[in-house]
Amino acid sequence: MDLFEYQGKELFAAAGIDVLRSRLARTEAEAVRATEEFGYPVAVKAQVLTGGRGKAGGVRLVSRPEELPEAVAPILRMTIKDKPVRAVLVEEGATVLRELYVAITLDRHAKSPVLIFSRRGGVDIEQVAADDPGALLRLPLSAASAECREHCDSIAAAAALGDATLEAALVRTVERLWTLYRERDLSLVEVNPLAVVDAPVRIVALDAKVVVDDNALYRQPELAARRPDEDERERAAREAGVTYLTLDGTVGVLGNGAGLVMSTLDMIGAAGGAAADFCDVGGGARAQRIAAALDIIASDRRVRSLLVNIFGGITRCDEVAAGILAWREHTSVDLPLVVRLDGNNAADGLAMLERAGCAGLTVTQSAREAVDAAVTAAAGKKGDPA
Amino acid sequence: MSILVNGSSRVVVQGMTGREGSFHTERMLAAGTKVVAGVTPGKGGETVCGLPVFDTVVEAVAATGADVSVIFVPARFAKTAVLQAAEGGVRLAVLITEGIPVRDMSELVSELGLDDGPVSERPFVLVGPNCPGVVTPGECNVGIMAATLFSPGNVGIVSRSGTLTYEIAMGLTRVGLGQSTCVGVGGDPVHGIGFLECLELFEADPMTAAIVLVGEIGGDDEERAAEYAATHLTKPVVAYIAGFTAPPGKRMGHAGAIISGSSGTATAKAAALEAAGIPVARRPDETPRLVAEALAEGGHHGAEIGR
């Protein structure tokens, strides 16, 4: 689960990691109230769960009250990489003296966390990794230990801040980030930049990128309660127990298992089509879950054909067929539907669909035939205007 | 022969008294697996599927001589269950449970030293979590895979995806290419053994003549497997990778890419595998043909098979 910058900074502040004063604003009036609290200049920053915010014009510096409306209003109307901006963070201004980079994430190969530090922050860190690998420290951490003291000297040396008080503040910040990462079950905490600012000279987290391990939300109730707004289909999917992601195409896809669904999307692409979604009903789905998933997929008005691709291991194909038939009974959606069933109880499932003899239903036993039929149907069917 | 499990493996089921545990115990028994006991703390003395239930793995191993454990406990108890299995002295634990926090898995790897030394010399091996299990067709089925999709033979499969394992194994079975052992290593970011360990085991297994590697986007396990195959294997490897059209959905910030040194895309993985002489199927149903060709040609280094 990704957190917004303002949510990340709330976590930072509670963990004793210094941030600048800021207020969340959903309207111009709220932004004005924030500036009354800490004056000018301020930074106005779009709150959106995607990168590239700065390049898209989602961050503005405002030094005078009369400039505030013309900065806030356009940002609140922006959509950055398909994500509508619903709020801005209004943050007090500061003079930045140095920009550093620090992140903690999982090193999948080492199977343990790793701390990444660079004296060159505030820029694209992948570019730093490519141009100047020496400017990047990678320090392994142990999941079994709360300690990261052994790395503090090398971080302080790399930062070369030339001031013992600042160095101590930097080390303290890194230690608190590691504690936060461990205790809150994070998958990523990234501060870019971690800045040295003036008046008074101190170290603050100017940005906050925080990702929480979804699997650990059961024991992080405070973080689970911060779940950012989802769109209606994503929420319905979570409640139905299916994994659903909206994509850009016109073929609605339902399958069992992430690998099989990804493979189905690849085959649709290779056949000249594009999937409208990624929908994995998981293992052992019963009829009810299949029907709920079809409702969610078909509620996307761009969808022009539906493809069900099931290879039953624990999943029983007769349950899948029952779910499809139940959905056809109650839905008002009229879309061509292509079904491929193989594996556990496939013969029963196929026979059920055949007996029902629905118009617009094509049944195949190979994934390839099913994909071709669904792509052809999507191309031939005129969709509703989005 | 086979890898990890065979007809003489004696299996204990942790979480056998639960709904999933009892359901799959029946299926494993029906597939001919020697399931010998169950373990559920606090339920020692009960009987499930005609088998004795113990409070601890230690007791179950002492009473039945079990050497493999399969774990169906809920995610929040999974770490403790794996520690119990290791303490109990089984040589292999297969962790089916999904939804386990990454921190728990990292702690297990570190506390049990799971990655220390070559896999053949480790006293305790973990497969999973979030995996479908391990099948040696006709001999032993540990996990949740449907035994009827597999047939005995000489193709080893190692896969990060459950349903794609079915799809590909069934495709092989239908053209008469049976399997030595199929291992679903699981899809979680931190897991027990992976491609490298399974390639090492398959290379050493006289029954395995060719290996199918089923990968997907994320991480760099496939790239590392490609390098390992090029330098350590004599047996032919064929791959299938899922996710060529997957959008760069949940990005792990920028830090993730810096760590692995790879973009984690299907395209990058396929390129690395092909550069190592490993053919990559573009659809799952192309895999059987590529395997048949590889078997006909022999090893990708031209070495002899099954030496």
Side-chain angles (χ1 to χ4, degrees), chain A residues 251 254 260-261 263-268 271 307-311 338-342 363-375, chain B residues 164 167 174 240 283-286:
Chain A
V251 180
L254 180 157
L260 181 67
V261 178
S263 158
T264 309
L265 305 191
D266 290 349
M267 286 192 282
I268 290 171
L307 169 60
V308 175
N309 184 15
I310 298 286
F311 199 105
V338 184
V339 181
R340 178 267 180 143
L341 300 177
D342 203 343
V363 177
T364 76
Q365 214 174 344
S366 95
R368 198 175 167 187
E369 287 167 344
V371 164
D372 287 345
V375 169
Chain B
L164 283 176
E167 181 95 66
R174 281 180 178 148
Y240 173 74
R283 291 191 312 271
D285 65 3
E286 275 182 8

Side-chain angles (χ1 to χ4, degrees), chain A residues 1-2 101 103 105-114 116 124-126 129 136 138 142-144 182-185 187-188 190 209 211-216 218-220 247 256-260 262-263 265-267 269-270 309 311-314 340 342-344 365 367-368, chain B residues 23-24 27 75-76 99-104 106-107 109-111 115 144 146 149 160-161 163-164 166-167 170 174 187-193 196-197 216-221 224 240-247 250-259 282-285:
Chain A
M1 182 177 88
D2 294 19
Y101 173 96
T105 189
L106 174 73
D107 179 343
R108 287 172 69 128
H109 185 68
K111 303 184 185 181
S112 62
V114 60
I116 304 164
D124 183 349
I125 199 67
E126 284 174 88
L136 216 61
R138 286 163 234 236
S142 165
R182 269 192 102 231
E183 293 184 351
R184 295 311 188 98
D185 277 303
S187 325
L188 172 73
E190 184 179 53
K209 189 167 178 56
V211 182
V212 187
D213 178 2
D214 288 316
N215 287 353
Y218 76 86
R219 64 186 181 198
Q220 300 289 352
L247 305 175
N256 61 325
L260 181 67
M262 270 195 279
S263 158
L265 305 191
D266 290 349
M267 286 192 282
N309 184 15
F311 199 105
I314 339 173
R340 178 267 180 143
D342 203 343
N344 193 3
Q365 214 174 344
R368 198 175 167 187
Chain B
F23 174 74
H24 289 291
R27 286 165 53 98
R76 62 187 69 192
I100 301 173
V102 168
R103 189 179 81 197
D104 292 7
S106 284
E107 287 173 357
V109 170
S110 150
E111 286 167 29
D115 282 356
I144 62 174
L149 304 175
R160 285 173 65 189
S161 155
T163 29
L164 283 176
Y166 297 156
E167 181 95 66
M170 189 66 160
R174 281 180 178 148
D188 279 9
V190 175
H191 50 82
I193 59 168
L196 299 190
E197 288 94 340
E216 59 186 39
I217 50 169
D220 65 349
D221 290 359
R224 287 174 190 268
Y240 173 74
I241 306 292
F244 281 89
T245 53
K250 278 197 130 186
R251 281 173 54 96
M252 297 286 288
H254 294 287
I258 296 169
I259 294 310
R282 295 293 147 176
R283 291 191 312 271
D285 65 3

